[in-house]
Amino acid sequence: MKLIAETAWHHEGDFDFMKNLITNISTNSKADIIKMHITLNFDEYMHKNHGSYRSLKSKLFNKFQWRKLINVARDNKKELMLLLNDRDAINFGISFNPEYIEIHSVCLNDVFLIKELKKKISKNTKIVLGVGGSNISEIKEAINYLDAKNIILMFGFQNYPTIYEDINLLKIKRVMRMFKNFEFGYADHTSWDNENNELITVIGASSGVSYVEKHVTTNYGEERIDWSSAISIEMFNKLKDKLDILIKLNGNGLLNMNAAEKKYSTYGPMKKAAVLKKNLSNGSKLKLDDIKFIRTGEISDMSQLDIIKFIGNRINDNLEKDTVLKFN
């Protein structure tokens, strides 16, 4: 499970703030992935009549500034997730060979954007589709249009902040079963000051996702864009420690028993072993009435199922009452 440090529009157009944020995430956090939103052609992304048009357009970085920010993350060996909002951003972002490129849920079925992505993206780059606030048809159409195998479906949405009753983990699990050939992520946007912030994130992460995303800030509690769900780097690192525990708790998912389970399942001391209820002579047939199952101080190499299968077989020795039955 990888932890994503999300920066979004938290910079508010302040390059020095953003550089400091990326530097702190890169050097002081336990983030596996740093996520940045890149918009270059804002008029392709948002219409002038949108209420946030003037405010957000004034906060754009240019290519030179983005290149500097990306290099900070790369110099510190962090993986990159670039959320790209227009075709210019697609072409620019792809040039850095990021490990992940995301299409935001607001652009999920923008065929012009996705077509540009399909033309240019490397097979080594995973495509993250934000599916928060999207119905099943929208998700299916985006997947079909991309026609790619390396897709990650990212659940979660920012409604400033997200109320945990709106997350609907049962729905998320159901969607995961519908698209079981892909990877999944959970972007948590719980309020920064919610006393259950960490708990809600860990429970969301326990749904079976491979990626967990949190907004991160160096100015905890300061009113900026996306501040309502942004946690401090210290909180982020504590969350990472909890997720590491969750990873160990999840295990590898294999059906064969591990060493601890095998030790617990020994027949005799732990699980009941088969013991004779009476003396049996060599050559007599073993009947179900001849045995009982009981915990013993002696270990048997026969399971309860093994014993049942051997009912009707002949005993090859004289055996006394209370003998623990074994293969030999």
Side-chain angles (χ1 to χ4, degrees):
M1 188 181 300
K2 292 188 176 183
L3 186 55
I4 305 164
E6 161 74 294
T7 60
W9 291 87
H10 195 56
H11 54 79
E12 296 189 338
D14 185 336
F15 178 75
D16 290 335
F17 178 92
M18 183 64 156
K19 186 178 180 182
N20 179 64
L21 177 59
I22 297 297
T23 300
N24 269 279
I25 294 172
S26 298
T27 58
N28 298 323
S29 86
K30 298 180 180 180
D32 301 293
I33 303 166
I34 297 179
K35 179 176 171 180
M36 305 181 211
H37 290 215
I38 300 179
T39 309
L40 296 176
N41 183 353
F42 195 76
D43 289 298
E44 182 183 311
Y45 175 64
M46 187 175 286
H47 195 280
K48 292 179 180 179
N49 66 8
H50 194 285
S52 298
Y53 178 85
R54 287 188 179 182
S55 174
L56 290 181
K57 188 170 184 179
S58 67
K59 295 175 172 59
L60 296 183
F61 293 146
N62 57 42
K63 291 181 180 180
F64 177 76
Q65 290 170 314
W66 279 121
R67 188 173 287 108
K68 277 194 166 186
L69 295 171
I70 289 170
N71 286 339
V72 171
R74 282 298 194 212
D75 289 345
N76 287 281
K77 312 301 181 185
K78 294 294 185 181
E79 291 188 335
L80 278 178
M81 182 178 291
L82 301 181
L83 188 148
L84 307 172
N85 288 320
D86 59 86
R87 285 171 288 183
D88 288 347
I90 289 281
N91 288 296
F92 175 72
I94 284 176
S95 68
F96 294 94
N97 296 313
E99 287 78 10
Y100 313 87
I101 284 180
E102 179 169 355
I103 299 298
H104 198 286
S105 60
V106 303
C107 308
L108 184 60
N109 299 115
D110 182 343
V111 294
F112 306 105
L113 193 66
I114 296 177
K115 183 178 180 181
E116 193 69 23
L117 178 64
K118 284 181 66 174
K119 287 194 301 184
K120 304 293 177 63
I121 195 166
S122 163
K123 292 182 179 179
N124 297 322
T125 299
K126 294 187 177 183
I127 303 170
V128 183
L129 295 179
V131 296
S134 302
N135 62 43
I136 299 302
S137 295
E138 290 172 322
I139 297 171
K140 285 182 177 179
E141 286 300 319
I143 290 172
N144 291 338
Y145 194 87
L146 274 168
D147 190 26
K149 295 181 179 180
N150 55 341
I151 290 176
I152 301 168
L153 299 184
M154 183 68 71
F155 301 101
F157 57 96
Q158 172 72 289
N159 55 344
Y160 305 103
T162 300
I163 301 170
Y164 68 83
E165 290 96 329
D166 293 332
I167 295 170
N168 202 346
L169 286 181
L170 292 179
K171 177 184 176 182
I172 288 174
K173 292 176 182 178
R174 189 172 177 180
V175 175
M176 289 169 68
R177 290 193 294 271
M178 294 177 67
F179 301 100
K180 57 186 178 181
N181 292 329
F182 300 127
E183 290 187 290
F184 305 97
Y186 169 63
D188 185 79
H189 297 92
T190 303
S191 177
W192 64 281
D193 58 352
N194 188 313
E195 62 180 354
N196 294 313
N197 187 302
E198 186 180 85
L199 175 64
I200 293 167
T201 307
V202 172
I203 292 174
S206 68
S207 299
V209 299
S210 300
Y211 303 87
V212 177
E213 178 184 305
K214 293 287 283 187
H215 282 261
V216 185
T217 182
T218 49
N219 292 35
Y220 181 64
E222 180 182 305
E223 293 193 30
R224 305 177 63 90
I225 295 177
D226 294 318
W227 75 286
S228 59
S229 59
I231 61 175
S232 68
I233 288 179
E234 181 183 5
M235 294 169 67
F236 188 85
N237 289 341
K238 288 181 179 178
L239 174 62
K240 175 66 172 176
D241 293 338
K242 297 296 191 302
L243 292 179
D244 287 342
I245 294 173
L246 177 61
I247 292 169
K248 293 176 182 177
L249 181 64
N250 282 337
N252 57 24
L254 297 177
L255 293 180
N256 57 299
M257 292 194 294
N258 61 33
E261 289 172 315
K262 289 177 181 177
K263 183 177 180 181
Y264 182 79
S265 69
T266 54
Y267 290 91
M270 297 306 297
K271 288 188 177 180
K272 288 182 176 181
V275 174
L276 287 180
K277 292 163 60 177
K278 61 183 181 181
N279 296 337
L280 288 182
S281 58
N282 188 352
S284 61
K285 287 186 177 181
L286 181 67
K287 299 187 297 293
L288 192 59
D289 289 342
D290 296 334
I291 66 169
K292 60 182 177 181
F293 289 112
I294 190 169
R295 292 178 69 176
T296 69
E298 186 178 348
I299 296 175
S300 173
D301 56 0
M302 297 188 78
S303 72
Q304 295 159 8
L305 289 176
D306 290 331
I307 291 294
I308 298 301
K309 292 175 183 177
F310 271 77
I311 297 299
N313 284 24
R314 294 187 182 279
I315 298 295
N316 62 9
D317 201 353
N318 294 319
L319 300 178
E320 297 181 354
K321 177 184 176 182
D322 291 331
T323 297
V324 177
L325 292 181
K326 301 176 183 178
F327 279 110
N328 65 356

